[in-house]
Amino acid sequence: MLTNKMQNALNEQINKELWSSYLYLSMAAYFEDNNLPGFANWMRVQAQEEVSHGMKIFDYVNDRGGRVFLKPIAEVPTEWSDTRTVVEETLNHERVVTESIYDLVNLAVEEKDHATNQMLQWFIQEQVEEEASADDLLQRVEMTEGKGHALLMIDKELAGRQFVDETKE
Ligand code: MG
C-alpha cells in the first residue's frame, strides 16, 4: 500500500511529467513557426517521452493499489527570443525535474517505501540522460552562434530523432 503522502507526491509528479510534455510541445510549435522542423521534431519526441514518464508513474500507482487523480495542467510559455534560449530552458527544466525526483526518493526513504524507491531509481538514471542530451544540444547550438547554415545542419540531423519508449525496456 502507498501512504497518502506518497500517493499525493506521485500524483503531483504525474502532473509535472505531463506539464513537461506540454512545455516541449509548445517548443515544437515555436520551432515549426520558425522553420526549424528538425528542432520541432526533437521537441515532439521529447514531449512523447514525458507522456511515457507520466504513464510509468500512473501504472505504478495503480499497481500498488493507489488512486491516480489528474489535476489541471498549468499554462506553458509560448514565445522565446531565439533557439538558444529554448534549448537553455530545456536544460534548466530537466535540472528542476531531477530535483523533484530526488525529493520523491527522499520521501520514499522517509516512508520506508522500498518499492517506490526502486521504481524511482529508473527515473534517476533517465534524468542523467535527459540532462546530458539537453546539455549536448545546447553546446552544439552555442557553437553555431550567428551562423545560420550551421544551425540548419543541426536541424537536419535532429529531424532523424525517433521516439523509443524506454519505460518498456
Ligand atoms: Mg520526464
Side-chain angles (χ1 to χ4, degrees):
M1 260 311 265
L2 290 171
T3 63
N4 245 339
K5 208 171 170 184
M6 198 73 244
Q7 175 174 293
N8 290 341
L10 290 171
N11 270 305
E12 263 175 51
Q13 190 63 32
I14 292 173
N15 190 273
K16 283 178 189 170
E17 299 294 344
L18 295 182
W19 186 86
S20 301
S21 176
Y22 217 48
L23 171 68
Y24 293 136
L25 216 43
S26 185
M27 289 173 169
Y30 167 86
F31 283 128
E32 291 285 1
D33 192 45
N34 283 275
N35 301 312
L36 289 168
F39 278 89
N41 176 62
W42 195 89
M43 287 299 173
R44 285 171 86 121
V45 172
Q46 198 73 3
Q48 283 176 286
E49 275 194 4
E50 299 308 338
V51 172
S52 75
H53 295 167
M55 290 313 296
K56 187 178 176 72
I57 302 171
F58 184 104
D59 290 339
Y60 174 78
V61 170
N62 288 314
D63 284 349
R64 293 290 308 281
R67 174 70 158 95
V68 171
F69 295 103
L70 297 178
K71 299 271 172 57
I73 297 172
E75 203 169 352
V76 289
T78 55
E79 293 298 337
W80 291 269
S81 52
D82 52 25
T83 300
R84 185 189 186 283
T85 311
V86 183
V87 179
E88 204 168 29
E89 188 169 328
T90 300
L91 176 59
N92 289 336
H93 178 61
E94 288 304 331
R95 287 176 175 158
V96 170
V97 174
T98 300
E99 286 307 312
S100 126
I101 297 291
Y102 287 2
D103 287 344
L104 281 175
V105 174
N106 290 339
L107 180 62
V109 169
E110 254 173 57
E111 305 272 306
K112 299 186 169 61
D113 185 343
H114 300 292
T116 299
N117 188 354
Q118 191 184 39
M119 184 275 295
L120 291 168
Q121 298 304 310
W122 181 90
F123 281 90
I124 291 179
Q125 182 55 38
E126 176 64 17
Q127 282 312 116
V128 171
E129 288 164 25
E130 291 279 12
E131 286 189 32
S133 72
D135 192 37
D136 177 67
L137 185 57
L138 180 60
Q139 286 185 41
R140 288 164 65 200
V141 168
E142 280 175 344
M143 281 192 293
T144 70
E145 216 80 72
K147 285 173 247 148
H149 67 279
L151 195 65
L152 288 179
M153 274 176 66
I154 298 176
D155 189 68
K156 210 173 168 183
E157 193 195 317
L158 297 183
R161 185 183 186 194
Q162 285 184 333
F163 173 63
V164 178
D165 190 350
E166 288 173 352
T167 67
K168 305 282 185 222
E169 284 175 353

